[in-house]
Amino acid sequence: MDKEQVRTIGLDQLPEERWATVAGVTVPALASDQVLVLRLLELGFVPGERVQVVREARTGRDPLAVRLGHTTFALRRHEAAFIQVITTA
Amino acid sequence: MSARQPQRIALLGNPNCGKTALFNLLTGSRQKVANYAGVTVERKEGVLLTANGRRVSVLDLPGAYSLNALSSDEAVTRDVITGHSKETLPDLLVCVADATNLRLHLRLVLEARQLGLPLVVVLNKMDRARQLGITINKDLLARELNLPVVGTVSLHVHGADELKAALDEPLREVPPAHWKQPGVEQVLATQRAVLGIFERTVSEPSIDKDPSIRIDRFLMHPVWGFVVLGLVLFATFLAVFSGGDVLSGWIEEGFGALAGMVEASMRDGMLRGLLVEGVIGGVGGVIVFLPQILILFLFILALEASGYLPRAAFLLDKPMSAAGLSGRSFIPLLSSFACAIPGIMATRTISHWRDRLTTILIAPLMACSARIPVYTLIVAALFPNDATSAALVMVGLYLLGIVAAMTVAWFIKRTDKEHARSPLLIELPAYQWPDVRSLVIGLWERAMIFLRRVGTIILALTIVMWALYTIPSPRTNDQGAQRSLAGELGHALHYVFAPIGFNEEISFALVPGMAAREVVVSALGTAYSMEGEEGDVDDQLRKRIADEWPLATKLSLLLWMVFAPQCLSTFVVVKRETGSWKQMWIMGGYLFGLAYLASFITYQLTNILSTP
């Protein structure tokens, strides 16, 4: 395993169909975004969980369909960017 | 010694945990749908019989991911179980979790545990969990949570027996507690606790190769996804129109036969006229559209239960954002094709207020099923022998409503100075077969709402209208013939509507149409059949419209029906949902303006173009 290949990126940067592990969330400055991030945590986007971008809309890569456990969530790119993931690509 | 047993329970759970199917299984037909005080979130209450035959009242709370409410649905749930509403606190909270998705649903259980209410945890969809190879150590879970845990299968008749037995147990003592809104650190701590419990009590196969991921990739494909969505919508409307036609034909024949029987067994006179033309003709003319409404609702309910509709919302998010909306508006707008009222009520899941308001304001532009009778009548009169053209014009009318709605949404967005980003965050739940019991109960509810309307408002209107047409006015018209009261009213209104080509009969028919659009047809029927013609009222009416109305009038009325603000129930629900008279008048005003403008242009332009 090449250690240098491990990177932490925003979930919005993750290519389709690749599993990654949630590293954490960034807490945003805007209060309206903080509410969103809290909800993302409640839905289970917490450190250690495995996620995959199943589909992204063609134009502007927005929204994204993200698989987490047994559920898929439709997220905006803006929302996905708050989730940091570790990928081994 | 006799410890207290639960009398009033409330079902709490995430959206998509199968809570409604469980509620339907527990209560069957013993349920009542109403609204919570002050808000239109549906309040579903029912009665169940426990294993020992005790009657317990059950409240089905709106689905909530968290007590940290983001939508008005979630706010209702939070207020009821934290004692901040007019509802009596339940004496037992039944927290329903999807056994196939405990990782997501356990968090709400842990949150509910802090409420200071006795709690029972229900693992729903146990059959499905077994099929997926998920094993749950229920006893260990109960010990870990320090709560009773029971399994249910809401699709099976005896699927709730374990829960019904648990409801005869005496209530546990719980120390009083108060729920406080958690911050990021508390949420993370709760999630760590959830993960710990999950890992100790549940084992499941890896989901990496889960076939539903492949299905998702196909159904949300940028090309194939839209092809499938187009086919689904096409099939839905095809079923509504072709399937509905067959069933409507039977109902029409039934009412025709009934009218014949009454005609044969009564002497000619006022009463016979009232029964045959007023009651049977008027009510029958509206009931024939019940099949179309129910078929549309059947498709919407089944598509929603299967998990497909949220995927469609994902696909349409981008196209709808061009109009300033998000994919979240898709399901409410689709429901509005059946009726704007459930559509407007479905907007309560839209957490962003501005988006929700826009969706409410444009929902009446979706061609609701009450418009079908009017469209059908006029289009058939336009193209008596050309079914293809008639069908194309019908499609055109639907599309016109959609285009107008998107344009209006775009204008509303331009007036929004803040340009706040609207969140999406929709759960696309696991696919599943719709539960037949819930579909039947859902359709039954819709049918009852419609029939109650027919039996009250519409019946009363048709009788009043019949009377207005029958009672002569003291004055005579230009030709010296006696005018009816309806004729007088139509004559007065026709000054307003003459510039858009409406004659006195149409002008009058629009008045009862405010209460229910479909009554426009029976009002016109009454207006023309009062002149003593025999035969099928519908055919007769179609023929008279085809022969007597100028082309410009027919087109103008079609355009009017696309835009005009109707019915009154829509006004009421807009007022209640937005809590604002102003928004209600804005909706009514802009729709009236659009309708008048569109009809005016159509009427005048057709007249200019058709004058040689």
Side-chain angles (χ1 to χ4, degrees), chain B residues 85-106:
Chain B
S85 73
K86 291 184 184 125
E87 295 281 329
T88 324
L89 266 179
D91 50 24
L92 176 72
L93 210 51
V94 175
C95 202
V96 186
D98 180 347
T100 66
N101 203 355
L102 272 187
R103 176 68 193 81
L104 173 62
H105 291 193
L106 264 184

Side-chain angles (χ1 to χ4, degrees), chain B residues 31-199:
Chain B
Q31 47 175 276
K32 196 170 81 195
V33 183
N35 291 321
Y36 287 96
V39 285
T40 39
V41 175
E42 269 185 0
R43 179 187 187 280
K44 288 183 135 186
E45 193 172 18
V47 172
L48 68 78
L49 296 177
T50 64
N52 290 345
R54 278 187 329 111
R55 292 170 67 86
V56 171
S57 98
V58 195
L59 185 62
D60 185 20
L61 294 166
Y65 292 106
S66 163
L67 300 182
N68 207 358
L70 278 189
S71 67
S72 57
D73 257 5
E74 291 180 336
V76 166
T77 297
R78 177 199 61 205
D79 291 347
V80 170
I81 59 181
T82 54
H84 287 89
S85 73
K86 291 184 184 125
E87 295 281 329
T88 324
L89 266 179
D91 50 24
L92 176 72
L93 210 51
V94 175
C95 202
V96 186
D98 180 347
T100 66
N101 203 355
L102 272 187
R103 176 68 193 81
L104 173 62
H105 291 193
L106 264 184
R107 202 201 60 79
L108 188 64
V109 176
L110 293 198
E111 199 175 7
R113 211 166 50 161
Q114 299 161 10
L115 288 167
L117 282 173
L119 204 65
V120 167
V121 178
V122 167
L123 304 179
N124 198 17
K125 304 188 194 174
M126 284 300 275
D127 53 333
R128 184 88 188 107
R130 213 164 299 129
Q131 284 167 18
L132 292 171
I134 300 171
T135 50
I136 302 169
N137 186 338
K138 248 178 4 184
D139 297 332
L140 183 59
L141 182 62
R143 279 202 302 279
E144 290 265 356
L145 293 170
N146 192 22
L147 293 170
V149 176
V150 298
T152 56
V153 179
S154 45
L155 299 185
H156 193 278
V157 194
H158 292 289
D161 287 358
E162 211 180 319
L163 173 61
K164 286 178 182 172
L167 292 176
D168 284 322
E169 298 291 316
L171 287 168
R172 293 190 182 189
E173 285 299 321
V174 179
H178 289 288
W179 176 82
K180 276 202 243 14
Q181 193 158 321
V184 170
E185 281 314 311
Q186 282 117 306
V187 171
L188 281 172
T190 311
Q191 289 289 34
R192 276 193 295 274
V194 167
L195 194 62
I197 296 171
F198 180 81
E199 280 176 347

